[in-house]
Amino acid sequence: MRLLFLLLFPFLLPAQELPPVLTEGDFLELVATHHPLAVRAALQRDRAAAVLRQARGGFDPKVYGDLDQKYFKGTNYYSHVEGGVKIPTWFGVELNAAYERNDGTYLNPELRVPEEGLYAAGVTLSLGQGLFFDERRAELQRAQIYQRATVAERQVLLNELLYEAGGAYWEWAGAQAATQVYRDAVALARTRYEAVVAGARLGDRPAIDTLEARIQVQSRQLSLEGALLDLANTTARLNAFLWLDGVLPVELTESTLPPPPETVVVAPLLAPLPNLTNPELLRTQFKIDQLEVDQRLQRELLKPRLDVKYNALLSGGTNDPIEDYSSNNYKWGVKFSQPLLLRKERGKLQLTQIKLSETQLELSDKAALLRAKVAQAENEANVTVSQFDLASKNVVDYAQLLAGEQALFRAGESSLFLVNSREVKYIDEQVKRIELLVKHRKARLARAFATGELAQTQLPGPGLGEAPSTE
């Protein structure tokens, strides 16, 4: 929050405080906390909790009541009153209890009960289809898988966001460093131009040297203008990732700078290829888990439907239910159904199996591609280390050549052309070193993106594959 405060209100900085230095870690933390896509990703947890709560509602007890009466010309044709509770369970058994009281002149004989009413309590059991699995249990399992999948979904969004943001950061950092190189070059060219002009006035230098020195100033200024344009564009792209709570856009101040290039780590990646925990793979795996639930349900639907109901009966006027209970007072029933060809059920199962095979192949393909991306990023990161070292040595060597040529030029033993030539090589090598630095850091970023480590280091809350608790 302190860093964000400095970015928003730089005019409130104390006079002795230096401008803020925006590191890659600080920047990615700001993006992961405040960017609209990061805030949106955090909403997935609430969505998953709502889906799970809805699925658990399939096992909620249900209280019901029914009142049906008919009166005509003062005659009570019938009066039917019934109320009770039904309790579904995870094991496919439904418990129920009810009270029924009926009377009337034209009441259906099968509805007649004792004058005090009739109690019933019993179970409904599916012995065929639905005994081991049914739609309610499938829906709850899908919701539980979805809740775990939302963690992976959040990390997929965050992984992609931080990868793009990290790339924008290093392009901005490289543009800042290159701009400083060209600023120094312009200052050096102007100093030399002033010295050449002064020498020409005294007759120590030919007048043509002033023209060449001025051309070099203009050439350096042109390069600086190009670097400033690149810096403005990379800054604008970087600003697109800076927000406050996903609502208020934030912009960098001109005093906000990246760390100096010499402090940035450029080192080989010696660690072996890690186990892939890329959230994209887990998201695909959760699709497979859901399809396996669908497959199990479709197989269950191939079984015949056989439901058995049994209810023990007890008169409403009894004083001692246990003593008055009789095994002869009950009602029961059996319900059976079975499609003869099962074409609809077999077709659904076949489609589910095809989708499952397709998703398994998709998972294998994604894993292979991600391993290739990890290997490519490691190769690029390691190669750019040696290239960066060579470029750094070249910068030192070119600096020595330039210093020697400048000393000869001041002694009148060299030409302005040779000094400018040495300086151009020195500037180009500095820019090349910056480009290699940016390339190396982006390669490390690509590796962290492919392995999934990038999102894991920035995502608060449960880890990958873990589900937040809910009621």
Side-chain angles (χ1 to χ4, degrees), residues 263-467:
T263 64
V264 177
V265 174
V266 179
L269 298 173
L270 300 178
L273 180 67
N275 295 326
L276 286 179
T277 56
N278 191 290
E280 184 65 38
L281 296 181
L282 275 183
R283 183 169 66 175
T284 306
Q285 181 60 54
F286 287 132
K287 289 181 182 178
I288 292 175
D289 294 343
Q290 289 185 331
L291 287 171
E292 288 176 345
V293 172
D294 294 340
Q295 182 184 51
R296 182 182 178 187
L297 179 62
Q298 297 301 332
R299 286 175 175 169
E300 189 72 18
L301 295 178
L302 296 177
K303 300 176 182 179
R305 187 81 188 183
L306 180 62
D307 297 334
V308 177
K309 296 188 294 182
Y310 175 84
N311 285 274
L313 303 178
L314 187 65
S315 175
T318 181
N319 293 321
D320 190 343
I322 296 178
E323 183 178 344
D324 293 343
Y325 169 75
S326 173
S327 59
N328 295 322
N329 298 332
Y330 64 89
K331 63 178 180 178
W332 77 289
V334 178
K335 185 176 181 180
F336 172 82
S337 65
Q338 171 69 31
L340 294 179
L341 300 180
L342 293 171
R343 287 182 293 188
K344 179 179 179 180
E345 291 74 10
R346 288 188 288 115
K348 285 185 176 180
L349 176 59
Q350 186 177 10
L351 287 175
T352 302
Q353 290 173 334
I354 292 173
K355 290 180 181 178
L356 181 59
S357 298
E358 290 175 342
T359 310
Q360 289 171 337
L361 292 173
E362 179 185 351
L363 178 63
S364 300
D365 181 58
K366 285 182 178 180
L369 289 176
L370 286 172
R371 289 191 182 93
K373 288 182 178 180
V374 170
Q376 291 171 355
E378 288 181 345
N379 293 336
E380 185 168 353
N382 292 332
V383 169
T384 49
V385 171
S386 58
Q387 291 177 329
F388 180 82
D389 290 340
L390 289 173
S392 299
K393 293 177 181 178
N394 284 343
V395 168
V396 174
D397 293 342
Y398 276 119
Q400 292 177 352
L401 283 176
L402 177 59
E405 203 66 47
Q406 287 173 335
L408 292 174
F409 178 75
R410 287 192 294 269
E413 299 178 5
S414 180
S415 66
L416 185 60
F417 174 79
L418 288 176
V419 173
N420 289 333
S421 177
R422 302 291 191 195
E423 190 174 270
V424 167
K425 291 290 186 180
Y426 176 61
I427 294 171
D428 290 344
E429 206 62 34
Q430 283 182 296
V431 173
K432 184 182 295 184
R433 181 175 63 172
I434 293 170
E435 290 174 350
L436 288 171
L437 171 64
V438 172
K439 189 175 182 181
H440 172 78
R441 295 302 305 189
K442 291 178 74 172
R444 296 174 73 101
L445 197 70
R447 180 182 185 268
F449 168 77
T451 60
E453 296 171 317
L454 186 60
Q456 290 179 14
T457 57
Q458 296 292 338
L459 181 64
L464 193 60
E466 298 177 6

Side-chain angles (χ1 to χ4, degrees), residues 251-267:
E251 292 187 358
L252 293 174
T253 64
E254 293 184 0
S255 61
T256 303
L257 299 173
E262 58 271 13
T263 64
V264 177
V265 174
V266 179

Side-chain angles (χ1 to χ4, degrees), residues 2-288:
R2 168 176 163 77
L3 177 59
L4 189 60
F5 179 81
L6 295 178
L7 293 174
L8 284 170
F9 306 108
F11 51 86
L12 296 181
L13 283 171
Q16 73 277 10
E17 190 162 2
L18 296 175
V21 174
L22 185 62
T23 66
E24 180 192 32
D26 291 335
F27 173 69
L28 294 182
E29 183 180 356
L30 285 173
V31 174
T33 305
H34 296 280
H35 194 277
L37 288 181
V39 176
R40 173 190 168 193
L43 294 176
Q44 297 299 320
R45 178 183 298 181
D46 297 335
R47 182 194 296 271
V51 170
L52 182 59
R53 187 175 294 112
Q54 179 181 358
R56 286 177 172 170
F59 296 90
D60 289 347
K62 179 188 291 185
V63 177
Y64 69 93
D66 185 22
L67 172 62
D68 192 14
Q69 295 179 332
K70 179 179 179 180
Y71 290 88
F72 185 70
K73 294 183 178 181
T75 301
N76 177 12
Y77 275 60
Y78 60 82
S79 176
H80 175 61
V81 179
E82 183 179 0
V85 60
K86 295 181 179 180
I87 306 174
T89 67
W90 174 259
F91 304 101
V93 177
E94 184 178 82
L95 307 177
N96 61 81
Y99 172 76
E100 184 180 5
R101 185 168 183 173
N102 307 318
D103 58 27
T105 304
Y106 302 105
L107 183 69
N108 190 329
E110 70 179 19
L111 298 178
R112 293 194 178 278
V113 297
E115 184 178 350
E116 299 83 3
L118 187 67
Y119 289 103
V123 298
T124 300
L125 176 63
S126 297
L127 297 179
Q129 181 186 128
L131 176 61
F132 300 106
F133 206 57
D134 57 17
E135 181 61 38
R136 278 187 303 203
R137 282 174 277 185
E139 191 65 27
L140 181 57
Q141 286 192 10
R142 291 192 199 102
Q144 291 171 336
I145 294 171
Y146 177 74
Q147 188 178 45
R148 296 193 298 272
T150 53
V151 179
E153 182 68 29
R154 291 170 61 207
Q155 286 201 333
V156 167
L157 294 174
L158 195 60
N159 205 34
E160 294 174 352
L161 173 64
L162 294 179
Y163 179 61
E164 293 182 10
Y169 173 85
W170 286 113
E171 289 174 2
W172 168 74
Q176 285 278 12
T179 301
Q180 187 58 48
V181 170
Y182 286 115
R183 282 196 179 106
D184 295 340
V186 169
L188 185 61
R190 282 177 176 168
T191 301
R192 184 182 305 111
Y193 171 70
E194 293 172 357
V196 170
V197 169
R201 288 174 181 172
L202 296 175
D204 296 335
R205 295 287 176 189
I208 193 65
D209 281 358
T210 61
L211 177 60
E212 185 174 353
R214 187 172 70 230
I215 291 174
Q216 290 301 321
V217 172
Q218 294 171 171
S219 177
R220 301 287 188 275
Q221 186 65 42
L222 185 61
S223 299
L224 177 59
E225 292 296 330
L228 288 172
L229 176 60
D230 188 37
L231 177 59
N233 291 336
T234 56
T235 301
R237 187 185 175 201
L238 194 72
N239 285 334
F241 292 97
L242 290 175
W243 292 78
L244 179 60
D245 295 333
V247 178
L248 181 64
V250 180
E251 292 187 358
L252 293 174
T253 64
E254 293 184 0
S255 61
T256 303
L257 299 173
E262 58 271 13
T263 64
V264 177
V265 174
V266 179
L269 298 173
L270 300 178
L273 180 67
N275 295 326
L276 286 179
T277 56
N278 191 290
E280 184 65 38
L281 296 181
L282 275 183
R283 183 169 66 175
T284 306
Q285 181 60 54
F286 287 132
K287 289 181 182 178
I288 292 175

